[in-house]
Amino acid sequence: MDQVKDLLAQPAFVFKCINIVVGACMITGASIIIGVYATLFGGTVIGLEVYDLPSNYQAILYRYAGFLYSFVGRGVFYILVGVLITGSSPLRYAFAAAVGVVGLAYVVLEFVNKFDLPPSMVPPDAIDSDVESRAVFRASQEQ
């Protein structure tokens, strides 16, 4: 029981669990055509949390999907996917609502500045100095 309390006290572990659940909701809460996109998006989110990508893949992902490396970017992404997977059944509404609520929470977390970025959302160091490849918006950085 103490081990569970220790794990829940670590924000990085809690964020990892939340992101995995959101990715699973993205995959299971969609119809067939939209399911292809939802599976791709959910698989990407789960993959970022589960696998340690080599630095060259992290650089590519950061360059073309840099929004996944900030709370506000990932939050807006979750909100958009939540809208995308909304359907006609109550189960789809539940999955879409879960994904959307987590997205709203991530957008709020960008401006609260209480938590550090989880390890899966920290930008790769190799390209952090390249101005063109930086995330477009980061509320926690001074301009």
Side-chain angles (χ1 to χ4, degrees), residues 25 29 78-79 81-87 90-102:
C25 286
Y78 285 177
I79 291 168
V81 171
V83 169
L84 182 71
I85 64 174
T86 302
L91 186 62
R92 284 190 190 166
Y93 280 121
F95 285 140
V99 173
V101 166
V102 171

Side-chain angles (χ1 to χ4, degrees), residues 2-19:
D2 290 334
Q3 292 175 343
V4 173
K5 286 182 182 178
D6 291 341
L7 285 175
L8 292 177
Q10 300 173 359
F13 178 76
V14 173
F15 287 131
K16 178 177 278 220
C17 292
I18 289 171
N19 287 329

